Amino acid sequence: MTETVLLVGGGGREHAIARALADDCELYACASNRNPGIGRLAEAIELVDETAVEEIVDYAEEISATLAVIGPESALAAGVADALDEAGVYTFGPREEAARIETDKAYQRRFMRDHDVPGCPAFETFDDIEAACDYIDAFDGDLAVKPAGLTGGKGVKVIGDQVTKAEAKAYLREESYDRVVLEERLVGEEFTVQALVANGDVRVTPAVQDHKRAYEGDEGPNTGGMGSYSDASLILPFMTEDDYAAAIEILQAVVDALPEYKGVLYGQFMLTADGPKVVEFNARFGDPEAMNTLPVLRTRFLDVLTAARDGNSLPELHFDRKATVCKYAVPDGYPTEPTAGARIAVDEESVGEALLFYASVDERDDGLYTTTSRSFAVVGLGDTIEQAEGIADGALAAADEGLRVRHDIGKHELLRARIDHMDELRGS
Ligand code: AMP
Ligand code: GLY
């Protein structure tokens, strides 16, 4: 039987999901923008907000969807997975309650503490901003200041790294968040491990390193992610097999405590001198990390979805032993003052052997337009990170005026600096 899959979301991550599924099923999508990459792979795109629960369920029924996959956290937070499940469309994505592991950072930390999930930094949660400011004053050391709700990866301020104590307090008073988490500042190298989870099974994918800062050399404000790389093995050059195993143990502990979890469980880790600590969990593929992972997944992604739905054990995952480097082109001014609505041209010919993933662009009758978020990404695959980097960087000739990229992602100097940083922290 041919499966009919509804994909929710219209960014680069969802273009990568669409590419992983399109040959094996009838694919439809719901998104607030017309992503031309998804447009070419899907039978149709329904233009609807990713959080519009009723419209999405209506559309799933109209196309007789047999499965659904959710890309963005906003849809999970809105309860789209609950509603689709209840309408009889099995959805690879957690229900609203389980997605709190991402959508509520205070819940996430308490969950880790209550279930003895390893890798939890020391933390306190506050409903009263003035009490949080007093805590910052009294605390001897640096803290990470985190709004409890979703902020697109841009709400966290790290004292001693991005801001001073005074700036952190001013930020909290200005934004008047309802609840914040203050936690021990973790020092080390960040990496991501994503797992496909259902029926209690945890199937892990290769480690990836994203680059959150807007500018080269890890300068500037945090973004949704400017680009990312993975190696031909499961680990990254600055980590050991044991570090990877410790990260997997953490993901497994989460699923053991949340046996009903289904979908992608994304662990963001800080590799410290004492091993991996949890920066956060996400309840969906990373963007850009999905673009590193899905192109090297040799196991059919559709087989994971059907096994999940049918209550079967998930298939073991196999990967091409290729390194990947992903680089995003973003609108000028992103993330603080992005120029939305600018017309851009992407020269698909000049991408060469790299993969091209469209992101938050809108295809209209007269061309392609930027939104306030990332525009498109290129992914190079190679035997080494350096080879993959060369392919990705070469492909960035496709980036038009009005777009900006971080050329340094995946380059030798940056990789070397990561290795030296870990060596220094570990005193070796
Ligand atoms: P999050 O939204 O929790 O992923 O945080 C965004 C970014 O803030 C992370 O990718 C880290 O770079 C940084 N960050 C978050 N928590 C901490 C922490 N406890 N120590 C140091 N940096 C952190
Ligand atoms: N790349 C970070 C995220 O998807 O949250």
Side-chain angles (χ1 to χ4, degrees):
M1 162 193 151
T2 306
E3 301 284 350
T4 302
V5 182
L6 177 63
L7 169 65
V8 178
R13 162 183 51 211
E14 289 78 21
H15 185 181
I17 296 171
R19 181 177 176 273
L21 288 172
D23 284 346
D24 303 317
C25 67
E26 291 218 318
L27 185 70
Y28 291 81
C30 279
S32 54
N33 60 310
R34 184 172 293 282
N35 176 318
I38 298 173
R40 262 174 250 169
L41 295 166
E43 312 291 325
I45 300 179
E46 178 78 350
L47 287 178
V48 45
D49 193 89
E50 289 87 354
T51 60
V53 179
E54 278 175 33
E55 280 101 320
I56 294 172
V57 172
D58 286 349
Y59 189 61
E61 287 175 341
E62 185 187 320
I63 61 167
S64 304
T66 56
L67 279 166
V69 186
I70 296 186
E73 61 277 21
S74 56
L76 299 169
V80 172
D82 309 55
L84 286 169
D85 279 346
E86 277 151 29
V89 183
Y90 178 90
T91 300
F92 196 69
R95 288 173 171 243
E96 188 181 344
E97 175 62 27
R100 288 177 74 202
I101 195 90
E102 163 165 12
T103 58
D104 181 347
K105 288 183 199 291
Y107 166 85
Q108 178 199 103
R109 288 309 190 208
R110 285 196 222 104
F111 172 91
M112 289 187 77
R113 184 170 60 196
D114 294 349
H115 295 281
D116 284 328
V117 175
C120 189
F123 73 94
E124 294 286 342
T125 63
F126 295 88
D127 296 324
D128 173 358
I129 294 303
E130 284 312 313
C133 290
D134 290 346
Y135 188 86
I136 291 174
D137 279 330
F139 190 83
D140 181 21
D142 292 334
L143 290 165
V145 177
K146 311 174 106 170
L150 289 178
T151 60
K154 294 157 210 145
V156 175
K157 303 284 176 221
V158 182
I159 298 174
D161 182 23
Q162 298 152 294
V163 293
T164 61
K165 279 190 176 192
E167 284 163 348
K169 288 187 291 178
Y171 167 70
L172 283 180
R173 289 185 174 125
E174 195 172 312
E175 299 287 336
S176 58
Y177 293 113
D178 290 342
R179 176 172 293 172
V180 294
V181 179
L182 300 183
E183 64 186 31
E184 166 195 0
R185 177 187 173 193
L186 302 167
V187 177
E189 280 298 323
E190 283 187 79
F191 69 96
T192 300
V193 180
Q194 301 158 103
L196 309 185
V197 177
N199 310 326
D201 283 338
V202 177
R203 298 283 185 259
V204 295
T205 68
V208 184
Q209 190 175 45
D210 185 16
H211 296 71
K212 289 227 161 73
R213 296 300 194 91
Y215 310 126
E216 293 188 358
D218 290 328
E219 302 285 339
N222 274 341
T223 68
M226 292 295 295
S228 47
Y229 65 91
S230 64
D231 210 343
S233 63
L234 290 171
I235 64 173
L236 296 167
F238 56 82
M239 62 193 282
T240 66
E241 297 281 351
D242 285 349
D243 298 327
Y244 185 71
I248 305 313
E249 214 173 287
I250 292 170
L251 295 175
Q252 183 69 56
V254 171
V255 176
D256 289 346
L258 268 182
E260 72 281 12
Y261 194 90
K262 59 187 172 68
V264 179
L265 178 62
Y266 165 122
Q268 177 72 28
F269 300 96
M270 184 76 80
L271 181 55
T272 70
D274 304 319
K277 305 277 180 208
V278 175
V279 172
E280 66 165 348
F281 294 113
N282 291 328
R284 35 105 194 150
F285 276 118
D287 187 347
E289 292 94 330
M291 293 182 279
N292 300 93
T293 310
L294 289 167
V296 294
L297 177 64
R298 205 180 275 167
T299 310
R300 285 190 348 158
F301 186 46
L302 184 70
D303 292 344
V304 177
L305 304 186
T306 53
R309 177 192 60 198
D310 299 340
N312 296 332
S313 180
L314 298 187
E316 297 294 335
L317 304 184
H318 299 283
F319 295 92
D320 287 326
R321 294 186 70 83
K322 290 279 184 198
T324 68
V325 173
C326 174
K327 300 194 191 201
Y328 250 124
V330 303
D332 275 339
Y334 175 82
T336 42
E337 285 170 346
T339 327
R343 194 167 153 185
I344 54 164
V346 179
D347 177 5
E348 296 193 1
E349 296 302 308
S350 69
V351 168
E353 58 184 307
L355 304 175
L356 171 66
F357 293 104
Y358 286 98
S360 299
V361 282
D362 199 27
E363 188 175 38
R364 301 185 201 155
D365 289 343
D366 64 339
L368 203 58
Y369 287 83
T370 60
T371 66
T372 56
S373 192
R374 300 167 289 184
S375 302
F376 71 89
V378 292
V379 177
L381 277 72
D383 293 330
T384 61
I385 296 172
E386 277 173 278
Q387 221 179 57
E389 194 280 329
I391 292 167
D393 215 55
L396 282 172
D400 199 10
E401 269 173 51
L403 295 171
R404 199 173 56 72
V405 297
R406 263 187 73 170
H407 288 283
D408 61 344
I409 293 167
K411 288 230 196 285
H412 177 77
E413 303 79 65
L414 209 58
L415 298 183
R416 189 67 245 170
R418 309 280 193 230
I419 296 170
D420 291 346
H421 183 208
M422 274 327 296
D423 283 351
E424 189 190 320
L425 286 176
R426 289 180 143 152
S428 59

